[in-house]
Amino acid sequence: MRLAIFAALTASALCLAQNPGDFKPAASNVLNAQYPRVDSNSRVEIRFKAPDAAKVRVNFWSGPKAEMQKQPDGYWTFTTPPMAPGLHYYTVIVDGAEVSDPGSTAYFGGSKWASAVEVPEAGETYYLPQNVPHGQVREVWYHSKVAGAWRHALVYTPPAYDTRLKERYPVLYLQHGGGEDESGWTRQGKANFILDNLIAAGKAKPMIVVMAHGYARRAGQSTPDPRSGPPGSPEMRKAMQDMLSAFEDDVVQALIPFIDSTFRTIPDREHRAMAGLSMGGMQTFHVTFNHLDLFSYIGGFSGAANVFAAGNDRLDVRTAFNGAMSDPAAFAKRVHLLWIGVGTNEPERMKQGIEKLHASLVEANIQHVFSQSPGTDHEWQTWRRNLLDFAPRLFQPATQRPAP
Amino acid sequence: MRLAIFAALTASALCLAQNPGDFKPAASNVLNAQYPRVDSNSRVEIRFKAPDAAKVRVNFWSGPKAEMQKQPDGYWTFTTPPMAPGLHYYTVIVDGAEVSDPGSTAYFGGSKWASAVEVPEAGETYYLPQNVPHGQVREVWYHSKVAGAWRHALVYTPPAYDTRLKERYPVLYLQHGGGEDESGWTRQGKANFILDNLIAAGKAKPMIVVMAHGYARRAGQSTPDPRSGPPGSPEMRKAMQDMLSAFEDDVVQALIPFIDSTFRTIPDREHRAMAGLSMGGMQTFHVTFNHLDLFSYIGGFSGAANVFAAGNDRLDVRTAFNGAMSDPAAFAKRVHLLWIGVGTNEPERMKQGIEKLHASLVEANIQHVFSQSPGTDHEWQTWRRNLLDFAPRLFQPATQRPAP
């Protein structure tokens, strides 16, 4: 039986390998670039010009890391097995130099401008631009006394914001992950199109979405570098704590007042949400739980749950954040949504962190939503799905909130 | 005497070579990247990791093209002679692979996401973010029947646009160059900061600036590729003509109506300008001269002047564009500003094209401004200076317009 399955799989793999495919240029390519290409089996073909190189490898950050094959024309090629849907970061390593692929749009990730290839998800259009009214994504600059500097943020305003001049809107603060920046949620995540589509379908309330630069520092200091030591090291913990604290003050003292004075917001906790992915999830937990007077909706997408545990193995929900969750009924009344999610293919350490957080919340009777994204890794398809589930739950009358 | 000068130059070069310099990370670097670095002599030091490469070259598009030196730590380095001020595109060529430098912000240029290094201009702050009110840069999507698609554009709204709700504004349409896209004027050109600073100083009228995607196509067609043949070939001419024509229709039939219905514009020719750089200059001449009913201010920054000549060696100003300039006095009354400029270090072919256009306009008695940017090449510092000179001349009462 086992042999039969193996034989069938091998035949299928051979068949796939022999199938020339129906490869088309990826949607993430630059204008007129023919490679990378994606076929209807979600295989990706990479092609990279390096005529004099001795060795070229492709490095999908959450996918194949493999030698590319040199072709007689000076190009190197590699075709992946079928990939999960979504946007996959990758780099190419040319004789030891890790670089991006000139055929790809560059996305800021891994603290550099990296390549990525968009693998369509069959039947899904929620993050694609549709024939619906579109909001705007605005670059704004605000002066922060905390940072002693002008800071850059992106702000999504919903369709009709500029014509319904008497209307005021609730606000979602939405943070990028470590190594990315404030451009991630729209360029990689397509958050603006997700909101456009949800709003057009009547599934989400029109809202303003604020995407801030997550690397915060205090005036006169340099930006803390969380890579200043090995993961978990005292140097790294200190840098992360410094950044969390500077970011918290920047959001509370500079960003929120700027947004509330610049845009037609409803400036109260009932109409203010925050969510973030990975590092941005950690920042979200830190900022919101320390300021429940300002926020009533909280989302952690693959969010670093360790901010709850504060370095301990076990998480004591009842004492965390000065006991904010010590009374589950009071917490459920105060916080309209505590949402946590993770992709089922994320690295074990990340999955276990979120699952442990979920288990602790269940055990402590804390009402929350736990969502698993099937088959996706620590990548943007997970977070697009997270936003798709999260956004409709925001700013709804209590009786109309989707059940957790 | 010649020997003495040579000796002095050599001594000075040696001195510079021995001077360790006061190198600092470039403003154009990604967060925390230490290289490229720039010193106060405007020398640029590039450092690139490629431990197993046999040959690494640095390729400044308008600057040194040189072999880099391998260091024992696997990094390759190169220090340029003093560079002109401004943003210099470059790539690194690793064993034949032309790639971007991971230490640099990626800018869309040369039809790919390339590296660039910002060399400060001593004493100049006009394109830097200052402590003045900032406008917003908005991403908008408009549906174009010409293209049969949603198209992306960036729109600068001046400071206070969202608070002075009764005020209406004139509009400058501002186009990028070939190989770049609509992000160029703000990301590379800093047009938003130039306008913020000019407006704060009372030197330019508050205006809306629209930056559109210059690669136009008609519904059902693929984007014409001006690289489909060698420069000057019939294929290239045809592709360029197709793009010009599609762009013209898109601007006139889709973009302008969208902008005028979405923003608080003053929707008449007296309050509408267009300018562009290089390919965008060619597009500007094409669109504006064919639609003088829509535009009254025209700017060509290093702009492909050949659109006037239509392939001929001599330009007949009087017959070009159906004789729009056949009556110099009438033209001067109708077109409030015809502005052309070029950098003194641009390639001869480009310089001569603009100079020939200038000479033809002088000869034909066509009132215009001709501006030369000292010491700069076909690069962004030329176009930043062009905008700095051009914008204050727009939308001023006739009596207050700066003299040509």
Side-chain angles (χ1 to χ4, degrees), chain A residues 95 134 137-139 150 162, chain B residues 95 134 137-139 162:
Chain A
D95 289 344
H134 291 291
V137 178
R138 305 182 181 193
E139 292 192 74
W150 288 89
D162 274 344
Chain B
D95 289 344
H134 292 292
V137 179
R138 306 181 180 194
E139 291 191 74
D162 274 344

Side-chain angles (χ1 to χ4, degrees), chain B residues 14-340:
Chain B
L14 277 175
C15 183
L16 214 56
Q18 283 164 359
N19 178 358
D22 47 358
F23 285 96
K24 292 192 187 117
S28 44
N29 290 4
V30 296
L31 188 70
N32 291 332
Q34 295 302 303
Y35 291 82
R37 307 194 305 173
V38 185
D39 79 356
S40 55
N41 290 314
S42 300
R43 298 183 302 174
V44 175
E45 189 183 358
I46 305 281
R47 184 170 175 264
F48 184 85
K49 187 180 176 183
D52 309 324
K55 191 171 168 181
V56 179
R57 292 176 61 79
V58 66
N59 175 36
F60 279 92
W61 303 359
S62 302
K65 298 164 206 301
E67 306 245 339
M68 298 181 73
Q69 284 76 46
K70 188 167 191 179
Q71 306 301 329
D73 60 2
Y75 284 86
W76 297 67
T77 57
F78 178 76
T79 303
T80 71
M83 303 273 286
L87 188 74
H88 302 287
Y89 285 119
Y90 71 100
T91 40
V92 176
I93 301 170
V94 189
D95 289 344
E98 185 174 0
V99 297
S100 58
D101 177 351
S104 164
T105 296
Y107 300 91
F108 196 69
S111 299
K112 58 178 175 274
W113 289 83
S115 303
V117 58
E118 184 77 57
V119 174
E121 178 154 11
E124 288 293 10
T125 57
Y126 69 89
Y127 53 95
L128 303 180
Q130 305 282 342
N131 198 18
V132 299
H134 292 292
Q136 297 177 354
V137 179
R138 306 181 180 194
E139 291 191 74
V140 298
W141 288 261
Y142 63 99
H143 194 271
S144 165
K145 281 191 180 165
V146 177
W150 288 88
R151 283 171 62 82
H152 182 244
L154 294 175
V155 178
Y156 168 85
T157 53
Y161 180 87
D162 274 344
T163 49
R164 294 197 195 136
L165 293 174
K166 301 222 162 132
E167 200 157 326
R168 301 188 73 93
Y169 297 85
V171 184
L172 165 63
Y173 291 79
L174 188 61
Q175 285 304 121
H176 61 83
E180 297 171 341
D181 71 11
E182 63 273 26
S183 67
W185 263 112
T186 51
R187 296 189 80 238
Q188 286 98 306
K190 312 291 177 194
N192 51 319
F193 296 131
I194 294 174
L195 267 296
D196 286 346
N197 294 334
L198 284 172
I199 292 167
K203 290 182 184 166
K205 291 273 184 201
M207 65 184 81
I208 292 167
V209 182
V210 177
M211 296 153 282
H213 185 72
Y215 309 101
R217 61 174 177 79
R218 296 189 184 278
Q221 298 183 349
S222 56
T223 304
D225 187 350
R227 295 163 304 174
S228 57
S233 67
E235 295 82 6
M236 199 209 87
R237 274 183 202 279
K238 171 73 163 60
M240 194 55 87
Q241 282 305 324
D242 285 352
M243 189 188 288
L244 271 177
S245 157
F247 183 74
E248 174 188 354
D249 285 356
D250 193 80
V251 167
V252 170
Q253 297 169 29
L255 181 61
I256 292 178
F258 167 78
I259 294 295
D260 283 339
S261 65
T262 306
F263 294 92
R264 298 194 314 279
T265 65
I266 309 173
D268 62 33
R269 71 178 298 279
E270 295 292 312
H271 299 88
R272 199 180 289 121
M274 187 167 185
L277 73 92
S278 198
M279 178 183 90
M282 180 174 65
Q283 292 176 316
T284 296
F285 294 140
H286 181 86
V287 171
T288 56
F289 275 92
N290 281 342
H291 298 277
L292 289 176
D293 55 319
L294 296 177
F295 297 91
S296 59
Y297 299 84
I298 303 170
F301 307 165
S302 312
N306 57 336
V307 69
F308 278 93
N312 300 323
D313 266 356
R314 276 197 63 82
L315 164 62
D316 188 342
V317 170
R318 287 172 192 274
T319 57
F321 291 107
N322 299 319
M325 291 174 284
S326 58
D327 178 344
F331 182 78
K333 206 165 172 183
R334 188 142 199 237
V335 172
H336 306 317
L337 177 64
L338 173 59
W339 194 107
I340 59 175

Side-chain angles (χ1 to χ4, degrees), chain A residues 31-82:
Chain A
L31 188 71
N32 290 333
Q34 296 301 305
Y35 290 83
R37 307 194 304 173
V38 185
D39 79 356
S40 55
N41 291 314
S42 299
R43 297 184 302 175
V44 175
E45 189 183 358
I46 304 283
R47 183 170 175 264
F48 185 84
K49 186 178 178 185
D52 308 323
K55 190 170 168 182
V56 179
R57 293 175 60 79
V58 66
N59 174 38
F60 279 93
W61 303 0
S62 303
K65 297 162 208 302
E67 306 244 338
M68 297 180 73
Q69 284 76 49
K70 187 165 190 178
Q71 307 300 330
D73 59 2
Y75 285 86
W76 298 66
T77 57
F78 176 76
T79 303
T80 71

